[in-house]
Amino acid sequence: RAEREIAALKEELSTARLEVERRDGLEVQLEGLKKEAERWKQVEAERELAWKKEQEKVQEQFDQQLSTMVHRSKLVAAQRELEQTKARAEREIAALKEELSTARLEVERRDGLEVQLEGLKKEAERWKQVEAERELAWKKEQEKVQEQFDQQLSTMVHRSKLVAAQRELEQTKARAEREIA
């Protein structure tokens, strides 16, 4: 009877050792997943930096165009004031015609700037949407990595219980061998 019990214990010990080896392989996989998660964090940081640079570039273009519009507006106002000081009616009429011509050109130019501004707004909105999609994809990947990590952690806890069972089995085996002796 003791020999059968010892044989059964040896078989159980062999099975437990195979399980321990399998779990060691899972630990190696866990390390790989951690490295992959770190790589994703770095890729996301690089994307975020590129997106911020693009936003700064768009803002800089917008600021330059706005500054140009303000400067030209001031020039037009100064020209009007100068023309209003002219004494003679003919020169004032000619000046007003010139101002009207300039104003029409300015309106056309501003219409062009408004079209450009609208394009910049659409581009900024597109970048926001792209960033939102990237953020969603990154979050999904993070959830997937977390789920794999949780599964492997659960497996490690189970392995810990198996190791405790293996110790108890070895103690029982030692007791049985002492009793047989």
Side-chain angles (χ1 to χ4, degrees):
R1 188 174 60 84
E3 286 177 355
R4 280 195 307 272
E5 190 176 337
I6 289 170
L9 289 172
K10 284 182 179 177
E11 179 65 29
E12 199 172 333
L13 178 62
S14 172
T15 302
R17 285 184 178 144
L18 287 174
E19 182 63 19
V20 167
E21 289 174 7
R22 188 182 73 76
R23 299 290 171 94
D24 287 343
L26 288 176
E27 285 180 4
V28 170
Q29 287 179 355
L30 178 60
E31 274 305 310
L33 285 173
K34 285 180 181 175
K35 288 179 183 174
E36 184 68 14
E38 197 56 42
R39 187 183 70 77
W40 271 104
K41 284 182 186 175
Q42 183 178 356
V43 165
E44 190 57 30
E46 290 170 359
R47 286 180 182 165
E48 180 72 21
L49 181 61
W51 184 80
K52 284 182 180 176
K53 285 183 180 176
E54 185 63 28
Q55 287 296 96
E56 288 171 2
K57 183 178 171 184
V58 168
Q59 185 63 46
E60 185 178 312
Q61 289 173 345
F62 177 77
D63 291 345
Q64 286 175 350
Q65 290 174 349
L66 188 61
S67 173
T68 301
M69 287 169 63
V70 169
H71 182 67
R72 288 189 180 167
S73 181
K74 288 178 181 177
L75 286 178
V76 169
Q79 181 180 351
R80 280 190 200 130
E81 187 177 344
L82 178 63
E83 289 169 353
Q84 289 172 357
T85 60
K86 292 182 179 178
R88 302 261 183 225
E90 272 185 31
R91 288 190 302 224
E92 188 172 341
I93 291 169
L96 289 171
K97 286 180 180 178
E98 182 63 27
E99 184 178 343
L100 180 61
S101 173
T102 302
R104 284 183 182 149
L105 289 174
E106 181 67 10
V107 166
E108 290 173 6
R109 188 189 68 75
R110 287 190 184 190
D111 286 347
L113 287 176
E114 286 176 3
V115 169
Q116 287 180 350
L117 180 60
E118 200 57 38
L120 287 173
K121 285 180 182 176
K122 287 179 183 175
E123 182 68 11
E125 195 59 37
R126 188 185 69 78
W127 271 103
K128 285 180 186 175
Q129 184 179 355
V130 166
E131 189 59 24
E133 291 169 1
R134 287 181 182 164
E135 180 71 15
L136 181 61
W138 183 80
K139 283 182 181 177
K140 285 182 181 177
E141 185 63 28
Q142 287 297 96
E143 289 171 0
K144 183 178 171 186
V145 168
Q146 184 64 46
E147 183 178 305
Q148 290 174 342
F149 176 78
D150 290 345
Q151 288 174 352
Q152 291 179 350
L153 185 61
S154 172
T155 302
M156 288 170 65
V157 168
H158 184 66
R159 176 179 174 217
S160 183
K161 289 178 182 177
L162 283 177
V163 168
Q166 182 181 355
R167 282 194 202 121
E168 188 177 332
L169 180 65
E170 289 171 354
Q171 290 172 355
T172 303
K173 179 182 171 187
R175 257 197 322 272
E177 287 175 353
R178 284 195 302 271
E179 285 176 14
I180 291 168

